[in-house]
C-alpha cells in the first residue's frame, strides 16, 4: 500500500486454495477447468463455463470464487460457510467426504466422476480469503488509510487476471470499491524477472524500491488475528465494509 512517496507491505499465509490446491476437485486454470459458475435461485441447478469448451475435469481459482459467491447469494451456504442440508435438491448430499454440493455429475465430466465442493473445501476457501482480506485491512489501518481513499487496487498474477470482481467482493475477498478502481496486471513476477535480467537500470530501480519499503510482520501483530476473525465469514462480520 502506498504512493509515490512511501510504501508499506506484508505477506499473508493464505495458502494455495485459490490456485486449486487443497480443494477436492481444484485444479489450475488449464483446459478442462470450470472457470465460471451460475446457480439458479429456485432450483439450485448450476450452469458453468469450461476453459477449452470441453467436458470439465475440475474447478480453477476463478471458478471457486464464482462458485462460493453463487452458493452464498442463493442460500446454498450461510454466512459461516455451512451447507443448507434442507434444500430440496440432489445437489446437496452427504458423501464419504461429508456434506457437499455437486457441480457436475459424472455423465458430464472427463473422467466420469462427479465434481463437487465439500464443506472442508468451503472452509479452506473462506480461511484463505479471510487471510488476504485481513492482510490489506492491517496495511490500511497501519497508516490510517480507509479503503475509500484507495484510488487504484492492483491485482497481480495470472490467476488474478480472471477474477470476477463482483463475485470476489460478494465473498469478501476484495474490498467493496468501485469496479473501475481494480486493475489486473497479469503475471507480474515473470515480467519483473525479465526486466531485471535484461536491464541493469531496471534492476537498480527494483533494488531502490525494495529498500524503501516498510515491511509489517503480521505474525507479530495481534490486530491481524482480530481482522482475520472478522473476515472468516461471508462476506465479513463488519457489514459497513
Amino acid at each position: 500500500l502506498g504512493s509515490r512517496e512511501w510504501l508499506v507491505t506484508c505477506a499473508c499465509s493464505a495458502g494455495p486454495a485459490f490456485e486449486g490446491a487443497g480443494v477436492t476437485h481444484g485444479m489450475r486454470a488449464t483446459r478442462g477447468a470450470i472457470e465460471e459458475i451460475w446457480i439458479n435461485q429456485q432450483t439450485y441447478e448450476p450452469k458453468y463455463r469450461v476453459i477449452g469448451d470441453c467436458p470439465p475435469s475440475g474447478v480453477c481459482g476463478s471458478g471457486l470464487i464464482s462458485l462460493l459467491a453463487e452458493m452464498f447469494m442463493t442460500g446454498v451456504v450461510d454466512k459461516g460457510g455451512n451447507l443448507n442440508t434442507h434444500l430440496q435438491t440432489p445437489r446437496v448430499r452427504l458423501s464419504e467426504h461429508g456434506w457437499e454440493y455437486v457441480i457436475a455429475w459424472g455423465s458430464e465430466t472427463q473422467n466420469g466422476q462427479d465434481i463437487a465442493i465439500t464443506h472442508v473445501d468451503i472452509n479452506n476457501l473462506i480461511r484463505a480469503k479471510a487471510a488476504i482480506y485481513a492482510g490489506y485491512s492491517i496495511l490500511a489501518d497501519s497508516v490510517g488509510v480507509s479503503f475509500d481513499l484507495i484510488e487504484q487496487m492492483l491485482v497481480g498474477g495470472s490467476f488474478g487476471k480472471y477474477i470476477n470482481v463482483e463475485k470476489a467482493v460478494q465473498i469478501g475477498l476484495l474490498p467493496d470499491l468501485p469496479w473501475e478502481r481494480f486493475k489486473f496486471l497479469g503475471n507480474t513476477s515473470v515480467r519483473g524477472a525479465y526486466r531485471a535480467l535484461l536491464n541493469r537500470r531496471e534492476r537498480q530501480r527494483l533494488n531502490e524500491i525494495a529498500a524503501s519499503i516498510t515491511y509489517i510482520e503480521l505474525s507479530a501483530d495481534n490486530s491481524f488475528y482480530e481482522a482475520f476473525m472478522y473476515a472468516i465469514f461471508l462476506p465479513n462480520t463488519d457489514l459497513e465494509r
Side-chain angles (χ1 to χ4, degrees), residues 226-239:
E226 185 177 328
F228 175 77
M229 294 308 294
Y230 269 125
I232 210 164
F233 296 90
L234 297 170
N236 194 301
T237 51
D238 185 354
L239 294 181

Side-chain angles (χ1 to χ4, degrees), residues 53-191:
D53 196 24
C54 60
S57 300
V59 190
C60 66
S62 61
L64 291 168
I65 291 170
S66 175
L67 174 61
L68 189 55
E70 286 287 300
M71 292 173 75
F72 176 54
M73 299 303 288
T74 56
V76 177
V77 297
D78 61 17
K79 290 176 69 69
N82 302 298
L83 282 157
N84 185 344
T85 59
H86 303 294
L87 295 179
Q88 297 301 308
T89 172
R91 297 276 176 179
V92 178
R93 69 184 186 187
L94 186 61
S95 73
E96 59 183 4
H97 302 293
W99 286 99
E100 63 184 19
Y101 173 83
V102 180
I103 306 158
W105 301 113
S107 57
E108 307 165 29
T109 67
Q110 286 193 29
N111 60 10
Q113 296 182 353
D114 296 344
I115 295 175
I117 184 167
T118 69
H119 178 65
V120 172
D121 295 336
I122 294 168
N123 278 343
N124 286 339
L125 292 171
I126 290 177
R127 293 178 72 85
K129 76 92 187 174
I132 294 168
Y133 191 96
Y136 52 69
S137 294
I138 294 304
L139 277 187
D141 291 345
S142 70
V143 291
V145 172
S146 60
F147 284 157
D148 61 335
L149 293 178
I150 295 172
E151 295 178 1
Q152 203 173 196
M153 185 152 187
L154 309 177
V155 184
S158 54
F159 152 72
K161 188 176 178 181
Y162 303 101
I163 290 178
N164 180 312
V165 172
E166 180 182 12
K167 301 284 181 69
V169 169
Q170 285 173 347
I171 66 171
L173 173 63
L174 293 178
D176 194 1
L177 299 174
W179 296 355
E180 62 270 16
R181 296 192 194 179
F182 294 95
K183 185 177 179 182
F184 297 92
L185 305 179
N187 200 330
T188 48
S189 57
V190 168
R191 194 186 315 164

